[in-house]
Amino acid sequence: MAPRDTYRHGDLRNALIAAGVELAREGGPDAVVLREATRRVGVAPNAAYRHFADRRALLAAVSQAGLAELARTMEGELVTGSPARARLRALTRGYLAFAQAETGLFRAAFATTGMADTDTEEAAGAEGRTAYRLLTEALDDLAAEGALPPEHRPDAEYFVWSTVHGMAVLLTDGPLRGLRPPQAEEAERRVMDAVERGLCGTSG
């Protein structure tokens, strides 16, 4: 496609982000490069600088888009009306499924984000909640149902998040990446049993 210097107002930024997301899917955060994104969109390389100061700025936007995709995948695992414990397991199942199915984008999602970046409007799923917010609400509901002791609620989201994220990294980039699906599912179940024991003093 021949480069072009004009683009309808508002479209170019989103088109570059979409191109960046595809690059991340193919090669992770290192593949998100402004010049390649502009080539895929079909504009001159300098056009990108009207919207992104540098590659890091584009990667930050791709990271937000990746977090939003993560939230949508987690939402897709939820069953309406299910108890908080089942919702918590569903959310972690979605988190791990996304990491394994979209490994490049998963890596990019966490390539540049500070803590504040995990709970923005751009990082939200279809229902307007981020992955962090979905987890927080499930834990709040777990406490409201009496399954999570009040003294265990403060900062429990960090305990669950770090455990599940660590499992995701082991499955995608670590020594567990060679597990067959049934083995991976069993490992995930055991991890969540351990998380529940830590939170509630019980297993699933």
Side-chain angles (χ1 to χ4, degrees), residues 17-166:
I17 293 172
V21 166
E22 290 308 310
L23 289 168
R25 283 193 165 108
E26 295 167 12
D30 291 344
V32 180
V33 180
L34 274 171
R35 180 172 290 275
E36 177 60 18
T38 57
R39 188 192 70 79
R40 292 192 177 200
V41 171
V43 297
N46 286 344
Y49 294 106
R50 301 171 192 166
H51 302 278
F52 299 103
D54 51 26
R55 172 189 176 273
R56 182 176 298 181
L58 175 60
L59 181 56
V62 170
S63 175
Q64 293 282 285
L67 288 169
E69 288 285 345
L70 170 62
R72 283 191 282 272
T73 301
M74 292 168 70
E75 288 172 339
E77 293 289 333
L78 293 173
V79 176
T80 303
S82 58
R85 184 173 297 185
R87 293 203 304 279
L88 182 61
R89 288 212 173 217
L91 291 172
T92 59
R93 187 166 58 249
Y95 194 104
L96 293 169
F98 179 81
Q100 293 172 86
E102 294 278 12
T103 302
L105 188 55
F106 178 75
R107 293 179 186 133
F110 292 97
T112 64
T113 51
M115 186 59 209
D117 297 321
T118 65
D119 201 27
T120 66
E121 182 178 347
E122 291 77 14
E127 298 178 3
R129 293 174 294 176
T130 62
Y132 174 77
R133 191 61 52 190
L134 288 163
L135 174 59
T136 299
E137 290 180 4
L139 289 167
D140 286 343
D141 291 344
L142 198 65
E145 291 176 6
L148 177 60
E151 63 271 20
H152 290 181
R153 177 61 191 93
D155 297 329
E157 46 268 78
Y158 303 121
F159 164 60
V160 178
W161 189 8
S162 60
T163 302
V164 175
H165 189 85

